[in-house]
Amino acid sequence: MTKAEGRPARVRFAPSPTGYLHIGGARAALFNYLLARQTGGQFILRIEDTDRKRYQPDSEQDLMESLRWLGLEWDEGPDKGGPVGPYRQSERAELYRRYAEELVERGHAYYCFCSPERLRRLREERRKQGLPPRYDGHCRNIPPEEAKRRVEAGEPHVIRFKAPREGEVIAHDLIRGPIRVANKDLDDFILLKSDGMPTYHLAVVVDDHLMGITHVLRGAEWLSTFPLHVHLYRAFGWEEPVWVHLSLFLKPSGKGKISKRDVAAFRKGHKSVLIRDLREFGYLPEAVNNWLALMGWSYDDRTEFFTMQDLIEKFSLERLKPSPAAVNFDKLDHFQGLHVRALPPEELARRLVPFFHKAGYTQVTEDDLRPIVPLIQTRIVTLDDAVRLAGFFFEDQVEPNPDELVPKGLTPEQALEVARRALAVLEALPDMKASTTEPALRALVDELGLKARHVFGLIRVAVTGQRVSPPLFETLELVGRDKVLERMRRAIALLEDKVQQSPASS
Ligand code: GLU
């Protein structure tokens, strides 16, 4: 009884605002988004905030910002409204009560007046017998008239589903096939809590129905309660959506689910399962989407580079894989490299600006970065790497470590001599163009009878302050004559000090 394929899909991403958006949620959002865009349907954002105890105030904003950063813009949602709002469950409380009462009237649900104390005792007894917690049906057969009277008199109550005692329920997951559960194993689960708020099970079914959702793509953690939802659809007499429970994410080792401790450990290594961190660490949304898409989905088992447009065209529900996927951060770096190199240089320059600003180079503009980008585009993984590699371009002075000015295999005296000769060569040149400096400095290498790395390494440290930099000659050109000469002189002074302080080596 699933809706026909091929017509515009109305899908939703329905996060609970209990924490920041992580890769599991982001991937569910991505797949829903792709299906909506591919079929010309709608992608809805619904905030499932009925669990007030786990509510985290700043997470709703994080969810929205992270989704937008990924480029997963929704068509309807709490901030933009839409024809079937409100899109925040806490603002729909009245509605859920109505539907829960409708189920009571149809004989599929009942009022339960059991005290928390009684329920606690019940749990305890079942635990002692080694049984899972389960309601014993104590209020199941209270005559409806009596129950109504007690509710009207203000007696505290919940509404429970009257799970059938016989037969079985067969729930169909598109990628997992039929899932059969014996009804006798189901609990009379709560639909409406004593505070009048719905449980997730009631709210999700009512909202997916009222919002006209055609496909539910969500995490595999909902598989176990999936048959309950199927029961609710049948009790209401509603048409079910197509159900897809996405693969579970495992630790990078492939052993077990990712724990809180893993999350903390990842962050120490500049890796993360939180989208806001990946953004801050300088990953591109294109790379994150590409990485996420291939965790639990594949196109042809060969193609690995996908833009959002490719994904919209090529995504298919049939190629979703139910088996768990181990999180692989090396793959993320791999995709990041591919997407960094695929960006037009001027676009990369634009994306780098905030990273330079954050590192304290607050005056840096896109125009400043444009000539640098070709030198670093193939040498960075995260956008943050660009600052480490090219920040020196924006320093008035650099402070080389005097030890690093002495290339391996040379004495400080020899290094000093190399620096003086290199300065002389550079001073004599009409400009710092790569095509001018390169032949002149190579000639110096030959003349000194040294290795290129001795001479170039020293100049690199002198001019950039670091041992790893973009290609030397292009770097000299961009740094410019005055600064290059000034930095070479400074390096000579540092080497002179060093020679004086270490007479042993003379
Ligand atoms: N609010 C649920 C969650 O955050 C949504 C599950 C679903 O998509 O049905 O996991």
Side-chain angles (χ1 to χ4, degrees), residues 12-18 28 32 46-49 89 200 204 208 216-219 221-222 229 243:
R12 84 308 193 274
F13 176 50
S16 301
T18 54
N32 279 292
R46 183 174 72 221
I47 301 291
E48 304 209 323
D49 57 349
Q89 287 187 330
Y200 163 67
V204 75
D208 284 346
V216 169
L217 275 60
R218 63 181 173 190
E221 63 271 29
W222 300 107
H229 303 166
W243 303 94

Side-chain angles (χ1 to χ4, degrees), residues 44-295:
I44 295 167
L45 176 64
R46 183 174 72 221
I47 301 291
E48 304 209 323
D49 57 349
T50 56
D51 187 348
R52 304 312 285 181
K53 283 200 275 305
R54 292 176 59 224
Y55 182 76
Q56 234 196 64
D58 59 340
S59 75
E60 186 175 316
Q61 197 189 344
D62 172 80
L63 289 164
M64 292 198 193
E65 279 175 13
S66 294
L67 287 174
R68 287 207 162 105
W69 178 73
L70 287 168
L72 307 177
E73 187 68 42
W74 48 99
D75 304 301
E76 302 166 27
D79 58 332
K80 29 170 86 153
V84 292
Y87 292 86
R88 218 178 256 114
Q89 287 187 330
S90 59
E91 294 166 20
R92 301 166 67 83
E94 253 325 290
L95 210 112
Y96 305 120
R97 168 165 282 281
R98 252 199 352 258
Y99 280 95
E101 280 167 357
E102 183 185 321
L103 282 189
V104 174
E105 259 143 51
R106 288 159 161 256
H108 290 299
Y110 60 94
Y111 294 104
C112 169
F113 304 94
C114 289
S115 65
E117 176 51 27
R118 176 172 190 278
L119 294 174
R120 201 190 52 72
R121 272 203 319 272
L122 198 63
R123 265 199 307 275
E124 190 58 19
E125 274 163 31
R126 286 185 63 92
R127 198 183 57 79
K128 275 192 205 138
Q129 294 167 40
L131 297 169
R134 171 92 51 90
Y135 181 60
D136 63 354
H138 184 72
C139 296
R140 206 170 143 111
N141 296 314
I142 298 177
E145 284 313 307
E146 181 189 328
K148 223 183 186 124
R149 245 192 343 270
R150 288 169 70 176
V151 169
E152 275 158 20
E155 191 171 336
H157 63 276
V158 301
I159 295 180
R160 286 183 185 273
F161 187 64
K162 204 177 221 171
R165 291 286 197 242
E166 267 131 44
E168 62 172 3
V169 51
I170 306 176
H172 287 274
D173 179 288
L174 188 73
I175 59 173
R176 293 165 197 267
I179 296 164
R180 314 174 97 93
V181 183
N183 284 331
K184 67 174 173 41
D185 294 335
L186 296 179
D187 196 8
D188 280 358
F189 59 95
I190 295 176
L191 298 172
L192 203 73
K193 297 183 273 191
S194 53
D195 63 2
M197 279 295 203
T199 56
Y200 163 67
H201 309 301
L202 175 67
V204 75
V205 166
V206 168
D207 286 349
D208 284 346
H209 171 71
L210 293 180
M211 294 183 175
I213 299 303
T214 57
H215 299 71
V216 169
L217 275 60
R218 63 181 173 190
E221 63 271 29
W222 300 107
L223 256 183
S224 61
T225 48
F226 168 37
L228 306 183
H229 303 166
V230 170
H231 261 307
L232 278 176
Y233 271 92
R234 296 189 186 159
F236 279 118
W238 293 337
E239 193 183 0
E240 284 176 50
V242 176
W243 303 94
V244 184
H245 292 85
L246 304 168
S247 62
L248 218 56
F249 279 159
L250 301 179
K251 289 178 203 282
S253 65
K255 293 192 189 103
K257 285 207 267 177
I258 295 167
S259 69
K260 280 230 165 78
R261 199 173 328 145
D262 295 325
V263 173
F266 296 155
R267 296 185 82 204
K268 281 211 186 101
H270 229 59
K271 296 280 177 269
S272 185
V273 291
L274 300 180
I275 300 302
R276 51 162 34 211
D277 288 344
L278 297 178
R279 174 184 188 174
E280 191 184 313
F281 296 163
Y283 286 95
L284 295 172
E286 289 92 333
V288 176
N289 283 325
N290 197 155
W291 181 54
L292 291 177
L294 293 183
M295 278 199 262

